[in-house]
Amino acid sequence: MSQVTSIENTVEKNSKEKYLSDYQVSNYEIDSIDLEFELYDTTTLVKAVSSVIRVGEHQQPLFLFGEQLQLKKLLVNGVNHPDYKLVKGGLELSYLPQTFTLEIHTEINPQANTSFSGLYKSGGAFCTQCEAEGFRRITYYLDRPDVMAKFTTKISADKDLYPFLLSNGNPVDQGDLDNGRHWVSWSDPFPKPAYLFALVGGDFDCLKDTFTTKSGREVALELFVDKGNLDKTAHAMISLKKAMLWDEQRFNFEYDLDIYMIVAVDFFNMGAMENKGLNIFNSKFVLANAQSATDQDFLGIEAVIGHEYFHNWTGNRITCRDWFQLSLKEGLTVFRDQEFSSDLGSRSVNRIANVKTMRNHQFAEDAGPMSHPIRPASVMEMNNFYTLTVYEKGSEVIRMLHTLLGEKAFQQGMELYVARHDGQAVTCDDFIAAMQDASKIDLTLFKRWYSQSGTPNVHVSDHFDLSKNCYQMTFKQKTQPTADQKIKQALHIPIAIELLDKQGNALKLADNKTNTILSLTHTEQTFVFQNISEKPVPSLFRGFSAPVKYQYAYSDLQLLHLMNFASDEFSRWDAGQTLFNKYLALNVQRLQDKQEMKLPALFIEGFKGVLVSELLDPALIANMFEFISETGAMELFDRVDIEALHRAREFMLSQLAMALHSEFVTVYHARQVAGEYLAITADIADRQLANLALLFIAKADPALGNELVVKQIAHCNNMTDHLAGLVAANSASLACRETVMQDFEEKWFENGLVMDKWFVIQASQDRSDVLDNVKALFKHRSFDFNNPNRLRSLVGAFAQNNPYHFHAEDGSGYHFLTEQLIKLNKQNPQVAARLITPLIQFKRLDENRKNLIKKQLNRLLQLDDLALDLYEKVSKALKQ
Ligand code: B3K
Ligand code: ZN
């Protein structure tokens, strides 16, 4: 079929941007698709037989998406169909009957697929990644989420090399073939969009278990990992079973197939993928034992296993009509996984972690060139919109709904959503409609959160009238114009508050309650509180009740009051952060004015009170001392002075370290966890606090720090404490640094996931030759440029976690990152487009740095084969 691939048939079809407002229902539907794969490394054959139905009366052609495919055969109702042409991005078929069977044979090359989208090889195994638009790299298809079909899959491959052949749904049959090959067939009874298709072929170790659902059905659970890794699978399996139970108990959602499989692979662009019945995971979010994984890894695994499992209802059973609706499934599923982690562990600690992500990263995205609402209005490359905004801010929007409705009405809304839309591909509006109808709360204004980008600023002022026992609070909201949207309107902002008296008691407000939710719905609004007999200290945005920045003219004493008495632990932490940020800004200013930096005694005293507290959760204490990152702090300034910011932050940490030295030493010893390693909340909290103390001890007293680090590394029975030792040794350049780093490398060089931690430390070092070191590490025996995890831990960590050196005045950091992006542009554009983030968020930098960055971005723009993923970000950044 040579005419098929001839270039004459190729015509331009798409312009670069796609718009939500252009959405049209598909002019054809596909009911079912039967796939057959003959797996070979470089020439895999795919036969796809679909039953297609024309929607309505029209003579329009059928356009099927396809990329990197070789068309081998095309039949309509069993006979050759000459009326087709290959066009850019796909295949166009004309003169089709009303309903027909479409048979398409394609050949693909998994071995050559370095972008890890579609069917590719991870190590020795075949695997797939189809979200968002990877299925079109497998066969020509209506690859859009609102086309939902029943899939069957038959796979054949060499039996020795690929004893396990997996796909979605339930296993049906299997058999042997000639030449040492075998086959397995699968059937998925639930209609699904192509992005949820998955296939795996490989040789694995398998951990098996079962889960009995609330209606008494037994589900087989199978976890596949590379051979030799079975000792690192228990935690993932336990997490899965916890997730299945939790989803039944909290959301009344029961699993629907007879089998649930998870496969861990080493080469994967993101964290994991929720393919129906066959999740594929980055091995980072599966493999863990005490020796190889930290407490944070254990918690991350639990969260991601939960997240992908929760998608079975919020994402798979009910999916997105189009990709602009991505937050429909992602914001909601992140909310659900955050609730899962909070119900299982500490709610406040989880809340703090989520807010850190918002403030340290999402706020910058919302203020940068890629700013978009949680439901974007236009997109060039869909993979660029799996963002902190769609995911994390999307979850904050769901959380605000939860706050406004309360758990009961929220769950009624969920129930109605499922009753209305199970088995459908729907929109964010459909979700809000269900919430509104179930709760009878008007969400018309609230919906604006879906279409407006940017972080609102809320300015709070107050007035107390003693003669009338009356306290008034005035809130003004304003959202600055963003790159994508000039005009901003008022949003519905829920503000959870509490008013504290001088003794630290919460005052009674309406209904005898000590806290309340105010609904800010206008640009400016005043709320009046009667029967207030003294001027209170307001605790604002308790639990981060809205994803906003807010200002109130707190005095230092008021912030200390909140740190001590706010009933919400998050608010205590938040007050500490506000106090820190205030002095950070002041000290930056002092440096710029060539004055001496200062930290008042009351600041130190306030934090001392926290550190020695017997009452506070040790994890909360540790969090109180984990201040805004340098990257996050850049958001606090209109013009950021990289040098001064770095010095001021270091100064403040050193002051705390020196002033509270003996307290840190006491806490360090008091919080040692004895006995067997357990990743349980209480032990995790103690380790977190002890290791935080170690960091401060090393800063103030390197000799003692060195002694403690060496001892800790020699005696610990887990990765958390071992790694914390390395981090302390590096951050304070302790004498043992070289030795402990080398010993670690010797011990772990064969384990890429563990070495990622070591690469991150190398890339995050505060030393003038750090970039040379990073470059040299490209030759390290554990480094592999083709592995996205390795790239993120070396290149990503340098660019993202080491702003002081990445933003070196000579532009060397920018040049280095650009070099890597050029290499990755063709090889793996998705990963490249993730790594570029710190290079496009430059608007707060000085002119010199801005110009250096623009020079590098222009270099990228001039590449003749610049991938759309990078083009979208580079062109938007340069437009700023
Ligand atoms: N849905 C996937 C992410 C797919 C990313 C495609 N570039 C994982 C998740 O959010 O659960
Ligand atoms: Zn998700």
Side-chain angles (χ1 to χ4, degrees), residues 359 363-364 367 455-460 476 478 541 544 546-551 632 634-638 844:
R359 289 187 180 152
F363 282 5
T455 309
N457 239 298
V458 178
H459 183 272
V460 191
K476 288 185 198 164
K478 185 169 171 58
F541 292 96
F544 196 64
V548 303
K549 296 181 178 179
Y550 70 95
Q551 291 86 37
M634 290 165 69
E635 270 305 289
L636 303 174
F637 301 87
D638 288 333
R844 298 178 200 282

Side-chain angles (χ1 to χ4, degrees), residues 213-466:
T213 69
K214 64 185 166 119
S215 70
R217 278 185 317 105
E218 192 176 280
V219 179
L221 308 179
E222 298 186 355
L223 186 50
F224 298 88
V225 295
D226 279 354
K227 293 215 152 257
N229 277 333
L230 220 43
D231 63 335
K232 302 190 188 75
T233 51
H235 177 68
M237 184 61 90
I238 292 169
S239 301
L240 175 60
K241 292 166 78 174
K242 284 181 179 167
M244 294 178 88
L245 182 64
W246 180 87
D247 216 15
E248 290 187 347
Q249 292 176 338
R250 176 95 187 254
F251 279 82
N252 203 21
F253 288 153
E254 183 177 349
Y255 188 61
D256 49 14
L257 290 165
D258 303 335
I259 183 166
Y260 191 86
M261 296 171 285
I262 295 178
V263 182
V265 298
D266 287 338
F267 291 75
F268 205 66
N269 283 347
M270 339 72 69
M273 179 64 212
E274 70 264 24
N275 319 300
K276 183 80 190 189
L278 176 57
N279 287 187
I280 300 180
F281 268 61
N282 186 324
S283 54
K284 173 182 165 61
F285 288 110
V286 172
L287 302 177
N289 63 24
Q291 272 60 53
S292 72
T294 63
D295 292 337
Q296 290 313 313
D297 293 330
F298 274 82
L299 295 173
I301 288 168
E302 184 179 87
V304 178
I305 295 252
H307 180 98
E308 305 313 329
Y309 175 74
F310 303 143
H311 267 313
N312 192 50
W313 279 94
T314 50
N316 301 4
R317 293 282 292 246
I318 305 180
T319 193
C320 304
R321 185 194 72 172
D322 54 77
W323 288 123
F324 298 99
Q325 317 294 331
L326 181 61
S327 203
L328 172 83
K329 73 176 178 83
E330 294 305 346
L332 179 55
T333 305
V334 171
F335 172 77
R336 277 155 46 67
D337 88 53
Q338 290 177 352
E339 283 300 292
F340 171 57
S341 299
S342 301
D343 284 347
L344 263 56
S346 156
R347 182 160 288 271
S348 324
V349 168
N350 274 289
R351 195 65 194 124
I352 290 168
N354 301 335
V355 174
K356 280 184 184 166
T357 306
M358 289 296 293
R359 289 187 180 152
N360 284 336
H361 305 287
Q362 195 279 328
F363 282 5
E365 182 171 276
D366 234 348
M370 280 293 290
S371 179
H372 55 278
I374 64 168
R375 181 187 55 211
S378 74
V379 158
M380 283 189 210
E381 169 50 59
M382 190 52 216
N383 286 318
N384 282 342
F385 288 82
Y386 288 76
T387 57
L388 292 160
T389 301
V390 166
Y391 276 63
E392 309 299 321
K393 186 176 178 182
S395 164
E396 293 301 324
V397 170
I398 302 291
R399 187 170 295 283
M400 286 191 283
L401 265 181
H402 187 267
T403 302
L404 292 169
L405 270 61
E407 169 75 2
K408 189 159 171 247
F410 183 86
Q411 290 297 349
Q412 287 165 346
M414 289 296 298
E415 211 179 305
L416 184 59
Y417 172 62
V418 171
R420 282 182 183 171
H421 301 299
D422 188 12
Q424 298 176 5
V426 304
T427 63
C428 298
D429 286 343
D430 294 324
F431 177 78
I432 293 289
M435 286 288 161
Q436 171 162 302
D437 294 347
S439 69
K440 309 269 184 305
I441 293 177
D442 183 359
L443 297 172
T444 317
L445 176 59
F446 184 82
K447 259 171 48 173
R448 210 170 265 166
W449 280 104
Y450 282 85
S451 53
Q452 184 162 298
S453 57
T455 309
N457 239 298
V458 178
H459 183 272
V460 191
S461 58
D462 58 353
H463 176 73
F464 176 63
D465 187 339
L466 182 61

Side-chain angles (χ1 to χ4, degrees), residues 509-647:
L509 306 171
D511 305 335
N512 246 356
K513 285 194 354 218
T514 53
N515 56 64
T516 191
I517 313 283
L518 309 173
S519 268
L520 176 62
T521 52
H522 293 84
T523 312
E524 180 172 343
Q525 236 168 309
T526 298
F527 297 86
V528 181
F529 302 87
Q530 305 290 358
N531 303 319
I532 306 285
S533 55
E534 59 173 285
K535 181 163 188 196
V537 178
S539 171
L540 300 164
F541 292 96
R542 300 172 76 242
F544 196 64
S545 63
V548 303
K549 296 181 178 179
Y550 70 95
Q551 291 86 37
Y552 171 82
Y554 282 118
S555 68
D556 290 359
L557 284 173
Q558 285 178 314
L559 287 170
L560 290 169
H561 199 64
L562 289 175
M563 280 167 71
N564 287 322
F565 300 114
S567 66
D568 171 33
E569 289 188 328
F570 167 82
S571 297
R572 294 183 178 209
W573 172 83
D574 200 24
Q577 297 287 308
T578 307
L579 189 60
F580 184 91
N581 293 350
K582 176 173 168 182
Y583 281 95
L584 185 61
L586 278 173
N587 280 316
V588 164
Q589 189 61 53
R590 287 206 180 103
L591 271 175
Q592 289 168 336
D593 297 345
K594 311 250 178 311
Q595 289 174 357
E596 210 183 314
M597 291 190 280
K598 276 191 211 147
L599 210 47
L602 112 183
F603 178 103
I604 304 281
E605 283 307 305
F607 279 97
K608 179 172 169 177
V610 171
L611 185 56
V612 302
S613 167
E614 300 278 324
L615 300 174
L616 292 177
D617 172 4
L620 178 67
I621 301 179
N623 268 292
M624 297 280 305
F625 284 85
E626 285 173 15
F627 301 105
I628 195 162
S629 69
E630 232 165 274
T631 308
M634 290 165 69
E635 270 305 289
L636 303 174
F637 301 87
D638 288 333
R639 273 280 159 273
V640 48
D641 180 336
I642 295 280
E643 177 87 28
L645 173 59
H646 182 68
R647 281 181 57 199

